[in-house]
Amino acid sequence: MTKAHTRKTLNLALQGGGAHGAFAWGVLDALLADPRIAIEGISGTSAGAMNAAVVAYGLAKGGSEGARQALAEFWQGIAAVARFSPLQPTPLDRWLGHGNMEFSPGWVAFDAVSRMVSPYQFNPLDMNPLADVLCSVVDFEWLADRCAHDVVKLFLCASNVCSGKIKVFQREEISSRAVLASACLPFLFKAVEIDGEHYWDGGYMGNPPIFPLIYGVTCPDVLIVQLNPIALERVPTTPREIADRVNTLSFNSSLMREMRAIAFVTRLLDDGCRELEGYKRLNLHAVEAERIFRDLGVSSKLNADRAFLEWLFDLGQARGREWLDAHVDDIGVRTTLDLDRFL
């Protein structure tokens, strides 16, 4: 096999971020469409867990093209069930080029009510339209069997409500409930019970967790698809800006801790520290649109309007292709992510 046709293997770490997961859909589509790329393992949280499960199922069922089709079907299904949602922010055509995406009246009303009434009161039947869409795309019994035999290496992160510990579902533990546990926002849904334990959104404990991609796979390259901005250009001053920053800090904190540890170990390895002989060296990469996500605001994470999702898909696809053009030859060779920003 010539060098031009050698496939490069990647592991994927998919952040959560609600509807912003459509950006990851675009990135994934670009990766899956590239014949030079092979995927060994996928770690995902919340919307990232949904993307991860759909990709893993599509890959196992029909290869890269099957995964692309499954992702498109999933996100089109999300848009279909969200058509009559009162929570949508300002329409996309009114937002583009005009700064922050605004709250809709419905979103403002819901946000206020959710601070006084829990989902155990306003949603006693625990209705979750995401479950129907997810199960219409993925046969989880079939997928769990493939994961149990490591045909697909899938790691889904949730937060144990009572113990405060991270839970990573894998192999035969993979199920629709595991995905819904990973994406369970406590102000929208009841905690998801699995084997007597209760779980909330995995973003509180690992968004996404990197450690399964250190110990559970052989490939040293991890591509993070980042949805939450890490840095801001100025201090937030309005109530909305402050709330948005609290959200991004909360959902980035676990990733920042892991990345600091990885950066520290990498520096020691580079310095020839003998005590770390045998430690696995990672090549870390990232695809992001940080400047754009700074402006979108937390309310847009609940905006599943078809035009918005397709706009995010196009953005992610473009960023994915840009990353491949710039860095495909770096896969398996070196880190392209600036680790100093995590120290």
Short mmCIF file of all heavy atoms in Angstrom, two decimals, residues 52-92:
data_model
loop_
_atom_site.label_atom_id
_atom_site.label_comp_id
_atom_site.label_asym_id
_atom_site.label_seq_id
_atom_site.Cartn_x
_atom_site.Cartn_y
_atom_site.Cartn_z
N ALA A 52 -21.94 10.12 19.06
CA ALA A 52 -21.04 8.97 19.16
C ALA A 52 -21.78 7.67 18.92
O ALA A 52 -21.31 6.80 18.17
CB ALA A 52 -20.37 8.95 20.54
N ALA A 53 -22.95 7.52 19.55
CA ALA A 53 -23.73 6.28 19.39
C ALA A 53 -24.19 6.11 17.94
O ALA A 53 -24.13 5.01 17.39
CB ALA A 53 -24.92 6.29 20.33
N VAL A 54 -24.64 7.21 17.33
CA VAL A 54 -25.11 7.14 15.95
C VAL A 54 -23.97 6.80 15.00
O VAL A 54 -24.11 5.96 14.10
CB VAL A 54 -25.79 8.47 15.55
CG1 VAL A 54 -26.12 8.47 14.06
CG2 VAL A 54 -27.06 8.69 16.37
N VAL A 55 -22.80 7.43 15.21
CA VAL A 55 -21.64 7.14 14.36
C VAL A 55 -21.19 5.68 14.52
O VAL A 55 -20.93 4.98 13.54
CB VAL A 55 -20.47 8.09 14.68
CG1 VAL A 55 -19.18 7.61 14.03
CG2 VAL A 55 -20.78 9.49 14.18
N ALA A 56 -21.10 5.23 15.78
CA ALA A 56 -20.66 3.86 16.03
C ALA A 56 -21.60 2.85 15.37
O ALA A 56 -21.16 1.87 14.76
CB ALA A 56 -20.57 3.61 17.53
N TYR A 57 -22.90 3.10 15.51
CA TYR A 57 -23.89 2.21 14.89
C TYR A 57 -23.76 2.23 13.37
O TYR A 57 -23.73 1.17 12.72
CB TYR A 57 -25.29 2.64 15.31
CG TYR A 57 -26.39 1.82 14.67
CD1 TYR A 57 -26.64 0.52 15.08
CD2 TYR A 57 -27.18 2.36 13.66
CE1 TYR A 57 -27.65 -0.24 14.49
CE2 TYR A 57 -28.20 1.62 13.08
CZ TYR A 57 -28.42 0.33 13.50
OH TYR A 57 -29.42 -0.42 12.91
N GLY A 58 -23.67 3.43 12.80
CA GLY A 58 -23.56 3.55 11.35
C GLY A 58 -22.30 2.89 10.82
O GLY A 58 -22.34 2.20 9.79
N LEU A 59 -21.17 3.07 11.53
CA LEU A 59 -19.92 2.45 11.10
C LEU A 59 -20.01 0.93 11.13
O LEU A 59 -19.57 0.25 10.21
CB LEU A 59 -18.77 2.90 12.01
CG LEU A 59 -18.20 4.30 11.77
CD1 LEU A 59 -17.21 4.66 12.87
CD2 LEU A 59 -17.52 4.40 10.41
N ALA A 60 -20.57 0.40 12.22
CA ALA A 60 -20.67 -1.05 12.36
C ALA A 60 -21.64 -1.65 11.35
O ALA A 60 -21.45 -2.77 10.88
CB ALA A 60 -21.11 -1.41 13.78
N LYS A 61 -22.65 -0.88 11.00
CA LYS A 61 -23.70 -1.39 10.11
C LYS A 61 -23.35 -1.20 8.63
O LYS A 61 -23.58 -2.09 7.82
CB LYS A 61 -25.01 -0.64 10.41
CG LYS A 61 -26.26 -1.37 9.97
CD LYS A 61 -26.64 -2.46 10.94
CE LYS A 61 -27.99 -3.06 10.59
NZ LYS A 61 -28.34 -4.18 11.48
N GLY A 62 -22.79 -0.04 8.30
CA GLY A 62 -22.58 0.25 6.88
C GLY A 62 -21.34 1.04 6.56
O GLY A 62 -21.31 1.73 5.53
N GLY A 63 -20.34 0.99 7.43
CA GLY A 63 -19.10 1.71 7.16
C GLY A 63 -19.27 3.21 7.23
O GLY A 63 -20.26 3.73 7.78
N SER A 64 -18.33 3.94 6.67
CA SER A 64 -18.33 5.40 6.75
C SER A 64 -19.58 6.01 6.13
O SER A 64 -20.18 6.95 6.69
CB SER A 64 -17.09 5.97 6.06
OG SER A 64 -15.92 5.59 6.75
N GLU A 65 -20.00 5.48 5.00
CA GLU A 65 -21.20 6.03 4.35
C GLU A 65 -22.44 5.74 5.20
O GLU A 65 -23.34 6.58 5.29
CB GLU A 65 -21.36 5.45 2.96
CG GLU A 65 -22.42 6.15 2.12
CD GLU A 65 -22.17 7.64 1.94
OE1 GLU A 65 -20.99 8.05 1.87
OE2 GLU A 65 -23.17 8.40 1.91
N GLY A 66 -22.48 4.58 5.83
CA GLY A 66 -23.59 4.26 6.72
C GLY A 66 -23.64 5.21 7.91
O GLY A 66 -24.73 5.62 8.34
N ALA A 67 -22.48 5.59 8.43
CA ALA A 67 -22.43 6.52 9.55
C ALA A 67 -22.89 7.92 9.13
O ALA A 67 -23.60 8.60 9.88
CB ALA A 67 -21.01 6.58 10.12
N ARG A 68 -22.49 8.34 7.96
CA ARG A 68 -22.92 9.65 7.46
C ARG A 68 -24.44 9.70 7.29
O ARG A 68 -25.09 10.69 7.67
CB ARG A 68 -22.24 9.97 6.13
CG ARG A 68 -20.74 10.14 6.20
CD ARG A 68 -20.15 10.39 4.82
NE ARG A 68 -20.49 11.72 4.33
CZ ARG A 68 -20.34 12.11 3.07
NH1 ARG A 68 -19.90 11.25 2.16
NH2 ARG A 68 -20.66 13.34 2.71
N GLN A 69 -25.00 8.64 6.75
CA GLN A 69 -26.45 8.59 6.54
C GLN A 69 -27.19 8.55 7.87
O GLN A 69 -28.23 9.21 8.03
CB GLN A 69 -26.79 7.37 5.69
CG GLN A 69 -26.31 7.45 4.26
CD GLN A 69 -26.55 6.18 3.46
OE1 GLN A 69 -27.12 5.21 3.98
NE2 GLN A 69 -26.13 6.16 2.21
N ALA A 70 -26.66 7.80 8.83
CA ALA A 70 -27.30 7.71 10.13
C ALA A 70 -27.29 9.06 10.85
O ALA A 70 -28.28 9.46 11.47
CB ALA A 70 -26.61 6.65 10.99
N LEU A 71 -26.19 9.78 10.76
CA LEU A 71 -26.11 11.11 11.38
C LEU A 71 -27.11 12.07 10.75
O LEU A 71 -27.79 12.83 11.46
CB LEU A 71 -24.69 11.68 11.23
CG LEU A 71 -23.65 11.21 12.23
CD1 LEU A 71 -22.25 11.66 11.78
CD2 LEU A 71 -23.95 11.76 13.63
N ALA A 72 -27.20 12.06 9.44
CA ALA A 72 -28.15 12.94 8.75
C ALA A 72 -29.58 12.61 9.17
O ALA A 72 -30.39 13.51 9.43
CB ALA A 72 -27.99 12.82 7.24
N GLU A 73 -29.90 11.32 9.25
CA GLU A 73 -31.24 10.91 9.66
C GLU A 73 -31.54 11.35 11.09
O GLU A 73 -32.64 11.82 11.39
CB GLU A 73 -31.36 9.39 9.54
CG GLU A 73 -32.74 8.84 9.88
CD GLU A 73 -32.81 7.33 9.79
OE1 GLU A 73 -31.87 6.71 9.27
OE2 GLU A 73 -33.82 6.75 10.27
N PHE A 74 -30.56 11.22 11.96
CA PHE A 74 -30.76 11.60 13.36
C PHE A 74 -31.03 13.09 13.49
O PHE A 74 -32.01 13.50 14.14
CB PHE A 74 -29.53 11.22 14.18
CG PHE A 74 -29.56 11.74 15.59
CD1 PHE A 74 -30.42 11.18 16.54
CD2 PHE A 74 -28.76 12.80 15.98
CE1 PHE A 74 -30.47 11.66 17.84
CE2 PHE A 74 -28.79 13.29 17.27
CZ PHE A 74 -29.64 12.72 18.21
N TRP A 75 -30.20 13.93 12.89
CA TRP A 75 -30.37 15.38 13.06
C TRP A 75 -31.60 15.91 12.31
O TRP A 75 -32.23 16.86 12.76
CB TRP A 75 -29.10 16.11 12.63
CG TRP A 75 -28.04 15.99 13.69
CD1 TRP A 75 -26.98 15.12 13.71
CD2 TRP A 75 -27.99 16.72 14.91
NE1 TRP A 75 -26.27 15.29 14.88
CE2 TRP A 75 -26.86 16.26 15.63
CE3 TRP A 75 -28.78 17.73 15.47
CZ2 TRP A 75 -26.51 16.77 16.88
CZ3 TRP A 75 -28.44 18.25 16.71
CH2 TRP A 75 -27.32 17.78 17.40
N GLN A 76 -31.96 15.29 11.22
CA GLN A 76 -33.21 15.66 10.56
C GLN A 76 -34.40 15.29 11.43
O GLN A 76 -35.41 16.02 11.48
CB GLN A 76 -33.29 14.96 9.20
CG GLN A 76 -32.33 15.53 8.17
CD GLN A 76 -32.14 14.64 6.95
OE1 GLN A 76 -32.81 13.61 6.82
NE2 GLN A 76 -31.23 15.01 6.07
N GLY A 77 -34.29 14.19 12.15
CA GLY A 77 -35.34 13.80 13.09
C GLY A 77 -35.46 14.79 14.24
O GLY A 77 -36.57 15.11 14.67
N ILE A 78 -34.32 15.26 14.73
CA ILE A 78 -34.33 16.27 15.80
C ILE A 78 -35.05 17.53 15.32
O ILE A 78 -35.87 18.10 16.04
CB ILE A 78 -32.89 16.61 16.23
CG1 ILE A 78 -32.24 15.40 16.92
CG2 ILE A 78 -32.87 17.82 17.16
CD1 ILE A 78 -32.88 14.98 18.20
N ALA A 79 -34.73 17.97 14.13
CA ALA A 79 -35.36 19.17 13.58
C ALA A 79 -36.86 18.98 13.43
O ALA A 79 -37.66 19.91 13.68
CB ALA A 79 -34.73 19.54 12.24
N ALA A 80 -37.26 17.78 13.03
CA ALA A 80 -38.69 17.51 12.81
C ALA A 80 -39.49 17.61 14.11
O ALA A 80 -40.58 18.19 14.14
CB ALA A 80 -38.87 16.14 12.17
N VAL A 81 -38.96 17.04 15.20
CA VAL A 81 -39.72 17.06 16.46
C VAL A 81 -39.68 18.43 17.13
O VAL A 81 -40.50 18.72 18.01
CB VAL A 81 -39.21 15.98 17.45
CG1 VAL A 81 -39.34 14.60 16.85
CG2 VAL A 81 -37.78 16.27 17.89
N ALA A 82 -38.74 19.30 16.70
CA ALA A 82 -38.61 20.61 17.33
C ALA A 82 -39.38 21.70 16.59
O ALA A 82 -39.33 22.87 16.99
CB ALA A 82 -37.13 21.00 17.40
N ARG A 83 -40.12 21.34 15.56
CA ARG A 83 -40.78 22.36 14.73
C ARG A 83 -41.71 23.27 15.51
O ARG A 83 -41.83 24.45 15.20
CB ARG A 83 -41.56 21.68 13.61
CG ARG A 83 -40.72 21.23 12.43
CD ARG A 83 -41.57 20.55 11.38
NE ARG A 83 -42.22 19.35 11.92
CZ ARG A 83 -43.12 18.64 11.26
NH1 ARG A 83 -43.53 19.02 10.06
NH2 ARG A 83 -43.66 17.55 11.80
N PHE A 84 -42.39 22.73 16.51
CA PHE A 84 -43.39 23.52 17.22
C PHE A 84 -42.95 23.88 18.64
O PHE A 84 -43.76 24.24 19.48
CB PHE A 84 -44.71 22.75 17.27
CG PHE A 84 -45.21 22.33 15.92
CD1 PHE A 84 -45.14 21.01 15.51
CD2 PHE A 84 -45.69 23.28 15.03
CE1 PHE A 84 -45.58 20.63 14.25
CE2 PHE A 84 -46.13 22.92 13.77
CZ PHE A 84 -46.09 21.59 13.38
N SER A 85 -41.63 23.78 18.89
CA SER A 85 -41.12 24.11 20.22
C SER A 85 -41.22 25.61 20.47
O SER A 85 -40.88 26.43 19.60
CB SER A 85 -39.66 23.67 20.36
OG SER A 85 -39.11 24.17 21.56
N PRO A 86 -41.68 26.03 21.67
CA PRO A 86 -41.74 27.46 22.00
C PRO A 86 -40.40 28.00 22.48
O PRO A 86 -40.30 29.19 22.79
CB PRO A 86 -42.75 27.49 23.15
CG PRO A 86 -42.55 26.19 23.84
CD PRO A 86 -42.24 25.18 22.74
N LEU A 87 -39.36 27.17 22.52
CA LEU A 87 -38.10 27.58 23.12
C LEU A 87 -37.10 28.15 22.13
O LEU A 87 -35.99 28.52 22.52
CB LEU A 87 -37.45 26.38 23.84
CG LEU A 87 -38.31 25.66 24.88
CD1 LEU A 87 -37.53 24.54 25.52
CD2 LEU A 87 -38.79 26.65 25.93
N GLN A 88 -37.47 28.22 20.85
CA GLN A 88 -36.50 28.64 19.86
C GLN A 88 -36.13 30.12 20.02
O GLN A 88 -37.00 30.98 20.15
CB GLN A 88 -37.04 28.41 18.44
CG GLN A 88 -37.58 27.02 18.19
CD GLN A 88 -36.58 25.93 18.52
OE1 GLN A 88 -35.39 26.17 18.55
NE2 GLN A 88 -37.07 24.74 18.80
N PRO A 89 -34.82 30.44 19.99
CA PRO A 89 -34.39 31.84 20.01
C PRO A 89 -34.68 32.52 18.67
O PRO A 89 -35.36 31.97 17.81
CB PRO A 89 -32.88 31.73 20.27
CG PRO A 89 -32.67 30.35 20.80
CD PRO A 89 -33.71 29.51 20.13
N THR A 90 -34.12 33.71 18.51
CA THR A 90 -34.31 34.48 17.29
C THR A 90 -33.99 33.64 16.06
O THR A 90 -33.00 32.93 16.05
CB THR A 90 -33.38 35.71 17.31
OG1 THR A 90 -33.70 36.49 18.45
CG2 THR A 90 -33.55 36.55 16.07
N PRO A 91 -34.82 33.70 15.01
CA PRO A 91 -34.52 32.95 13.78
C PRO A 91 -33.13 33.27 13.24
O PRO A 91 -32.61 34.37 13.43
CB PRO A 91 -35.60 33.42 12.81
CG PRO A 91 -36.74 33.84 13.69
CD PRO A 91 -36.09 34.42 14.92
N LEU A 92 -32.54 32.30 12.58
CA LEU A 92 -31.16 32.41 12.13
C LEU A 92 -30.95 33.64 11.25
O LEU A 92 -29.96 34.36 11.41
CB LEU A 92 -30.78 31.14 11.35
CG LEU A 92 -29.37 31.08 10.79
CD1 LEU A 92 -28.37 31.02 11.93
CD2 LEU A 92 -29.21 29.88 9.87
#
